[in-house]
Amino acid sequence: MPLVGTIGIALAAMLQTTECTLPSADSAWIASALDGWKRQSARVLGKEVRKYPTLVLFDERCTHTLTPTSRSARFVAGTKRFAVASIAHGDSIALPDGSRIPAALTSFASPQKDGTMSFVMALPSIWLTSSKGPRSDLLTTAVFMHEFTHTQNIALGQFVDTLVSRGLPEDSDDDVIQTKFGDRPGFTDAYSAERDVLYQAVAATSVGQARVLGAKALAMMDRRRAQNFRGADMIYAQTEDLFLSMEGAGQWFAYLWLVDPKGGAMTSAEALTFIRRGGRRWSQDEGLALLLLASRLSPSAPRALFASTPHTILPLLKCLTVR
C-alpha cells in the first residue's frame, strides 16, 4: 500500500478514536446509577460494592470502556475511579474477552477468565429509542440495577459452570425452565398458581400470614418440582433454584431503586407493576416474589445470596417459613 494511503488510514483511525468522548449526560447517568446501587446495597446488605467490574457502555456510535483503577482517572463515581477508553464501534462492540456483539439494545454481566466480572450495557439514548413500553428512562436504570447485581453475587454465577459440568446444557439461560417445561401439561398452571400465592404472601397484612402463605406456596412448588424434575431432568431442580436466586436478586435491587425516593420514587404498587412487566419472564417474576418475601420475613436474609459460597433462595425461604 502507498505510504500516503497508510498514513490516511492511520489518521482516520486516530480521528475516529478522538472523536469519541464520554458525553457529560451519560457520565452523570453512570455515576447516578452506580450511586443508586450502592445506596440500596448499603441499606439492605450492610455493604457497598464488593469489587467493581469493567464497564462496557455504548451509544449509537461509540463504545466507552471504564476500567477500575487506583490512579488519577477521567471518570469518578463516589470514591471509585475509572480509566476511560472511548472508540467508534462501527456497529460491533468489542468485549473484554475478545468477542464482539452487535451494537444493539442489550445488557448483561459476564465472568472473565481472571475471575473478574464485566458489565455490558447500551446507554440511555439507545434504550429511549429502542425499548418498548412506558417510562423508558426509569427502565434503563432499573435494568442497570438488575445487571449490576449479577456482578456482585459472583458465587451464584460461578455455580452455573458447576451445573454445566453435571450435565446442564451449555446453552441454558435464565429462561431454561420456562422454555423446556412450559408446554408440559399442567406445568404452567402449577407455576402460575404458586407464583400468585407468593405475591399474596408478599402483600399479606401480617408477618404471620405472610409466613403461612409462603409455606403454602413452597409446598406447591415442591409438588410441581417432584412431578417434573425426575430422572434425566433432576438437574433442573438445582437449575431452577439457582436462576430464581440470581434473577430474583436482580429484580429485587431494581425494585428497591424504583421505590427509593432518590431513585424512581414510585409507590410499591407502581414499582411492582412496572418491574414485573406482565410476568412474562418466569425466573424474574417468581424470583422477585421469593426475594420480597424473604426480606419481609427476615430483612437480613437475602445477604446469604451474596456470600462467598453459593446460597440459594429456596432452602433459605424454607427455613424462614418454618413456625
Side-chain angles (χ1 to χ4, degrees):
M1 179 179 293
L3 179 60
V4 174
T6 302
I7 293 173
I9 292 173
L11 286 173
M14 290 174 62
L15 288 172
Q16 194 177 47
T17 300
T18 55
E19 286 175 357
C20 282
T21 57
L22 183 62
S24 58
D26 287 329
S27 180
W29 175 79
I30 297 165
S32 177
L34 286 171
D35 181 66
W37 197 94
K38 288 170 58 180
R39 192 166 59 248
Q40 311 318 317
S41 182
R43 181 167 62 86
V44 300
L45 300 181
K47 59 183 178 182
E48 294 189 356
V49 179
R50 174 186 293 168
K51 189 174 183 179
Y52 283 88
T54 297
L55 306 175
V56 180
L57 307 166
F58 61 93
D59 57 23
E60 293 83 353
R61 196 173 64 86
C62 299
T63 299
H64 310 281
T65 301
L66 282 63
T67 306
T69 183
S70 58
R71 303 176 181 179
S72 59
R74 289 172 49 197
F75 178 80
V76 178
T79 59
K80 190 59 187 176
R81 299 175 178 181
F82 293 83
V84 180
S86 299
I87 188 169
H89 54 59
D91 296 329
S92 178
I93 309 303
L95 302 182
D97 64 2
S99 62
R100 302 188 73 90
I101 61 171
L105 186 69
T106 192
S107 60
F108 60 91
S110 178
Q112 304 302 301
K113 291 182 179 180
D114 61 1
T116 62
M117 295 290 292
S118 66
F119 174 95
V120 181
M121 184 170 178
L123 283 163
S125 60
I126 293 179
W127 284 86
L128 290 173
T129 57
S130 302
S131 62
K132 299 178 181 179
R135 297 308 305 268
S136 293
D137 55 335
L138 291 183
L139 176 62
T140 306
T141 307
V143 169
F144 183 102
M145 297 297 146
H146 179 113
E147 296 301 335
F148 195 86
T149 300
H150 292 331
T151 72
Q152 300 301 300
N153 49 11
I154 299 174
L156 288 179
Q158 292 173 336
F159 194 56
V160 175
D161 293 333
T162 301
L163 291 176
V164 169
S165 70
R166 295 176 183 173
L168 182 70
E170 289 188 15
D171 60 351
S172 297
D173 59 17
D174 52 351
D175 293 322
V176 63
I177 302 300
Q178 183 174 354
T179 301
K180 183 175 178 62
F181 295 93
D183 292 334
R184 184 170 292 188
F187 193 96
T188 297
D189 289 342
Y191 157 77
S192 299
E194 75 198 25
R195 177 209 57 204
D196 291 346
V197 175
L198 282 169
Y199 276 105
Q200 291 170 21
V202 170
T205 56
S206 69
V207 172
Q209 184 183 17
R211 184 175 291 108
V212 170
L213 287 170
K216 177 182 177 181
L218 289 175
M220 295 168 71
M221 290 185 73
D222 284 344
R223 288 194 293 272
R224 171 182 60 80
R225 288 158 59 84
Q227 291 169 1
N228 291 278
F229 300 153
R230 298 181 296 179
D233 289 336
M234 287 184 65
I235 189 70
Y236 292 102
Q238 283 186 304
T239 300
E240 180 180 52
D241 188 15
L242 174 63
F243 284 129
L244 286 172
S245 302
M246 293 177 64
E247 295 304 302
Q251 291 296 86
W252 183 52
F253 262 81
Y255 168 85
L256 292 172
W257 180 83
L258 286 170
V259 298
D260 183 351
K262 295 181 180 180
M266 285 183 165
T267 66
S268 177
E270 290 171 338
L272 276 179
T273 299
F274 184 85
I275 199 62
R276 291 184 67 186
R277 300 177 72 78
R280 295 189 296 270
R281 303 284 298 276
W282 288 9
S283 59
Q284 291 187 5
D285 199 35
E286 187 165 58
L288 174 60
L290 292 165
L291 263 293
L292 287 171
L293 180 56
S295 63
R296 181 175 185 188
L297 297 179
S298 175
S300 64
R303 297 180 184 183
L305 274 63
F306 294 82
S308 57
T309 54
H311 292 267
T312 51
I313 188 60
L314 293 182
L316 176 65
L317 193 54
K318 285 185 177 182
C319 291
L320 295 176
T321 55
V322 175
R323 298 181 63 87

